[in-house]
Amino acid sequence: ALGAVNLRAEDEAAEYGERLNSMKSERIDLTQAIAKLRDGIDELNAEGRERLIAAFDVINTNFKTLFEALFGGGQAELKLVESDDPLEAGLEIYACPPGKRLSVMSLMSGGEQALTAAALIFGVFLANPAPVCVLDEVDAPLDDANVTRFCDLMDEMTRRTRTRFLVITHHAVTMARMDRLFGVTMVEQGVSQLVSVDLKRAEALVAERLRPALAELVAAAESAGWCMDGRLPLQGQLSIAAPMSFGIRHLGPVIAGFARAHPGLEVVLD
């Protein structure tokens, strides 16, 4: 026996055939879309590798130059590790301060790591400068000499990139090198007050007040037998009264010049 006869078999076969053809068409569209996406991804990866390698070379060159400037010598470099594909590789920092062997950054002291990190950050900024950079206690592990080098480098970066650096610090040397200071003081117990100081304007005022002290320095030097052309050496002790302690650093270059020209002269600031 054939059993029951499906009178709609032909119609159902036609419907299933249409659905099958529609699914085949959709499969072809999906396959083509996947191929286009893969081609696009390959193009993006290829361009990304080229840009990454180009940027890496520039940053690595800047890093080497800035590292040598900060440490007064030595050598440093960046290396891509753990993969031949730059997009998947890791980054290792190798640094060698003067008098030491080339090693990974993790084997350096805290101060050396801070200066090396600063060189790397500024190296990236030279490749792609940003309008604002926030540095939080970067100078904390540094001594006064290295803080001065760090500030010199920051001044150079400001001139070359026009970047505004916002530096959070408690170091007096760093604060003295800034253009403007912002701080919080407590004049009364439990009452905080925001304070802003424009150091450039303050330096101009101090320089104005230091003119009498500088005139006294020249007059005292001449009275001690020193000619303006520096041919006669000075001997003994020269005492100069500075009008305010903040102005001592302004007299520093002048006093240093006197000391170099006249080793026998001792200059004392009262």
Side-chain angles (χ1 to χ4, degrees):
L2 296 177
V5 177
N6 185 2
L7 301 178
R8 297 190 67 258
E10 184 176 359
D11 295 335
E12 291 178 356
E15 291 178 3
Y16 290 137
E18 292 178 359
R19 290 183 60 185
L20 180 60
N21 292 333
S22 177
M23 293 177 68
K24 288 182 178 179
S25 177
E26 291 177 356
R27 182 179 182 276
I28 294 174
D29 292 340
L30 288 174
T31 303
Q32 293 176 350
I34 291 173
K36 290 182 179 179
L37 286 175
R38 287 178 175 172
D39 291 340
I41 291 173
D42 292 339
E43 292 179 1
L44 290 175
N45 286 339
E47 184 177 358
R49 290 186 184 93
E50 293 178 0
R51 292 190 178 187
L52 177 60
I53 292 175
F56 177 81
D57 292 338
V58 173
I59 293 173
N60 194 20
T61 301
N62 294 335
F63 174 59
K64 293 178 180 179
T65 303
L66 296 177
F67 182 89
E68 293 177 1
L70 278 174
F71 284 88
Q75 57 180 336
E77 63 177 331
L78 303 175
K79 290 185 178 180
L80 297 175
V81 296
E82 298 179 357
S83 177
D84 295 333
D85 187 354
L87 297 179
E88 299 179 358
L91 179 65
E92 192 72 67
I93 302 174
Y94 292 89
C96 174
K100 295 186 178 182
R101 294 185 300 177
L102 187 67
S103 61
V104 295
M105 186 175 173
S106 59
L107 299 179
M108 302 170 64
S109 66
E112 290 172 341
Q113 289 183 5
L115 284 181
T116 303
L120 178 58
I121 292 173
F122 290 151
V124 175
F125 265 71
L126 286 177
N128 186 20
V132 178
C133 175
V134 180
L135 303 175
D136 187 0
E137 299 288 356
V138 176
D139 56 355
L142 305 179
D143 55 18
D144 289 348
N146 286 328
V147 168
T148 300
R149 292 179 180 179
F150 169 74
C151 292
D152 291 340
L153 180 60
M154 195 158 48
D155 290 340
E156 179 66 19
M157 291 295 300
T158 303
R159 289 189 293 269
R160 295 176 62 178
T161 64
R162 298 182 180 274
T163 299
R164 290 182 177 270
F165 289 95
L166 303 179
V167 183
I168 302 173
T169 180
H170 291 87
H171 205 291
V173 175
T174 305
M175 288 189 284
R177 295 288 296 272
M178 297 295 103
D179 295 328
R180 182 179 289 272
L181 293 179
F182 297 92
V184 180
T185 183
M186 187 176 294
V187 180
E188 300 179 8
Q189 185 67 28
V191 180
S192 299
Q193 181 179 358
L194 295 178
V195 178
S196 174
V197 179
D198 188 341
L199 290 186
K200 287 187 176 180
R201 183 178 178 186
E203 288 180 359
L205 295 175
V206 170
E208 183 69 23
R209 295 189 61 182
L210 282 178
R211 288 182 181 178
L214 294 176
E216 181 184 349
L217 176 61
V218 174
E222 291 178 346
S223 65
W226 179 69
C227 295
M228 295 306 295
D229 57 7
R231 289 178 296 179
L232 297 179
L234 283 174
Q235 300 291 332
Q237 186 180 87
L238 179 63
S239 179
I240 301 298
M244 52 191 307
S245 59
F246 180 77
I248 292 177
R249 73 185 184 93
H250 294 270
L251 286 173
V254 178
I255 295 173
F258 271 70
R260 286 192 299 269
H262 310 283
L265 175 65
E266 179 184 0
V267 180
V268 179
L269 288 176
D270 295 335

